[in-house]
Amino acid sequence: MLAQPAAIVLAIRALSLFITWAMCAVNNRPFDFRAWDGAFYYGLASHGYGGFDPSVTYDLEGRYFPDAPMAFFPGYSIAVRLLGLLFGGHLLAVAVLLSVAASVVAGYGIARLARHLGAGQRGQLAAVALTAGAPMSVVYAMPYPEALLVALAAWTLVAVLEQRWVLAGLGAAAAGLTSPMAAPLIPAVVAAGLVHLYRAHTHRIATLAAVILAPLGLLGYLLWVHEVSNVRGGYFGITQRAWGNHVDFGVTTVRWIFDTLTQSRDAFAVLTATAIIAAVIAVVRTPMPWPVWLYTAGTVALVVAHTGIIHDRVRLLLSAFPLLIVAAVRLGRLRGRTTVLVVGGVVLAGLWFGAYSLAVWPSSI
């Protein structure tokens, strides 16, 4: 198990890039690592929040909106900027390498988490492959924070299950500075820490430190945006003005799914709706340690509950990776050839989905 997770992740990343490049070539569309939100994260690494091209900072009504980049959390871009100082300022190459390296680190965390969930060696490797080849995992080799977020979340959950409380608190704080999708990780760490404080009489200082540290990254960034932006409501006002994003407890998502499954002829939309439904059903029916379930359920709820852009929901569901780990645990109990065939088929389907989203679908990530 020392080298196998890295080998699996790197092989899948290479295959993903090849399939994406080939599909872009078939559709006469250039493959751009900085597609969609990747341009914002790359821009943050290059210029910070104040140096964006005015042509990309606008609101829903097409008006100039200089605070729009503050919708993107800084953790990943800060890491790219700092590493860029060591590699001569080649930030795009650094961003891609950071994402790939983070996906490798995530692979080892996922294998460790799968072991805690009852997987043997085959199940652990299946979990690594399923998460590395999940739909929209193409962003694990692009200037996107998802690979770093999954790595931090996986190892934070491992730290919670192993009662390494300071690491859990630091991991949750770093994840909270990386993406708003880390929000469900914070109550998982805090709740687990409080339960430990109530039940146990050991490591109390470390546990209390985790409870205090966990929310600092997310809350610190939200408070900073509230102070420096010119938008009422701070971060939440920015996302609503620029993307129409607010919490409606799933009303918009449910309506969109119903319309898509009854009227749409677009494969991407139908598959996105199906993925959301599958995630909701799985999180209700899937048993796992309660801190891991709390994180996973919170992630799925966050994906469903907000309005705004619908077509990026599969990318956001990458954070619900424990669902794939549980599936891998079950697949690992089958015959070896069956496990390989099923996992391989699912991975190829996931890589096709990511390539299709970049090469064919106009606005997906």
Side-chain angles (χ1 to χ4, degrees):
M1 290 292 292
L2 183 61
Q4 288 172 319
I8 290 172
V9 171
L10 293 175
I12 291 175
R13 291 281 62 78
L15 182 59
S16 172
L17 289 175
F18 174 77
I19 293 173
T20 304
W21 171 82
M23 193 167 297
C24 286
V26 168
N27 288 274
N28 295 316
R29 185 170 180 174
F31 174 50
D32 185 3
F33 280 101
R34 292 169 291 186
W36 303 110
D37 288 355
F40 277 97
Y41 288 107
Y42 178 76
L44 286 179
S46 301
H47 311 295
Y49 286 102
F52 271 81
D53 182 348
S55 65
V56 300
T57 52
Y58 50 85
D59 60 17
L60 287 173
E61 298 180 3
R63 297 175 299 185
Y64 177 55
F65 187 28
D67 290 325
M70 291 185 184
F72 299 91
F73 279 45
Y76 171 80
S77 298
I78 290 174
V80 172
R81 184 79 174 259
L82 293 176
L83 289 173
L85 297 176
L86 302 177
F87 293 95
H90 299 288
L91 294 184
L92 181 57
V94 169
V96 172
L97 290 175
L98 174 60
S99 291
V100 172
S103 69
V104 172
V105 174
Y108 284 94
I110 285 162
R112 182 80 156 260
L113 191 57
R115 188 174 71 184
H116 281 288
L117 269 62
Q121 181 174 345
R122 187 187 303 165
Q124 293 173 46
L125 296 179
V128 173
L130 287 178
T131 51
M136 288 308 306
S137 60
V138 64
V139 298
Y140 290 163
M142 296 175 66
Y144 274 76
E146 268 69 24
L148 182 59
L149 173 63
V150 170
L152 289 168
W155 281 107
T156 298
L157 292 173
V158 168
V160 168
L161 296 181
E162 296 179 357
Q163 297 187 1
R164 300 174 184 267
W165 294 110
V166 174
L167 289 177
L170 291 173
L177 197 61
T178 301
S179 169
M181 290 305 299
L185 188 63
I186 296 168
V189 173
V190 171
L194 291 176
V195 169
H196 180 81
L197 285 172
Y198 177 75
R199 292 180 175 177
H201 299 284
T202 58
H203 308 296
R204 298 181 69 86
I205 295 177
T207 307
L208 183 60
V211 172
I212 296 172
L213 287 170
L216 292 185
L218 180 67
L219 293 182
Y221 180 67
L222 294 180
L223 288 173
W224 178 81
V225 173
H226 186 272
E227 291 298 319
V228 304
S229 71
N230 299 312
V231 181
R232 184 178 181 181
Y235 172 83
F236 303 101
I238 290 170
T239 57
Q240 182 166 1
R241 177 176 165 183
W243 286 271
N245 195 10
H246 64 276
V247 175
D248 70 347
F249 302 100
V251 173
T252 297
T253 303
V254 170
R255 288 177 177 172
W256 179 83
I257 290 174
F258 178 81
D259 292 341
T260 297
L261 295 182
T262 56
Q263 302 175 31
S264 178
R265 299 184 181 183
D266 295 316
F268 184 89
V270 172
L271 291 174
T272 297
T274 304
I276 294 172
I277 294 172
V280 171
I281 294 174
V283 81
V284 172
R285 296 177 56 88
T286 302
M288 58 184 79
W290 73 263
V292 180
W293 183 90
L294 183 62
Y295 162 75
T296 309
T299 299
V300 174
L302 189 58
V303 169
V304 173
H306 74 276
T307 62
I309 298 172
I310 299 289
H311 300 298
D312 66 348
R313 303 299 171 92
V314 176
R315 173 171 66 87
L316 300 183
L317 281 172
L318 289 172
S319 299
F321 60 88
L323 295 176
L324 294 175
I325 295 178
V326 173
V329 172
R330 296 172 179 174
L331 287 172
R333 297 168 183 160
L334 304 177
R335 296 178 59 185
R337 182 178 300 178
T338 303
T339 302
V340 171
L341 289 175
V342 173
V343 171
V346 172
V347 167
L348 287 174
L351 299 185
W352 167 85
F353 187 90
Y356 180 89
S357 69
L358 283 175
V360 181
W361 190 254
S363 55
S364 55
I365 65 172

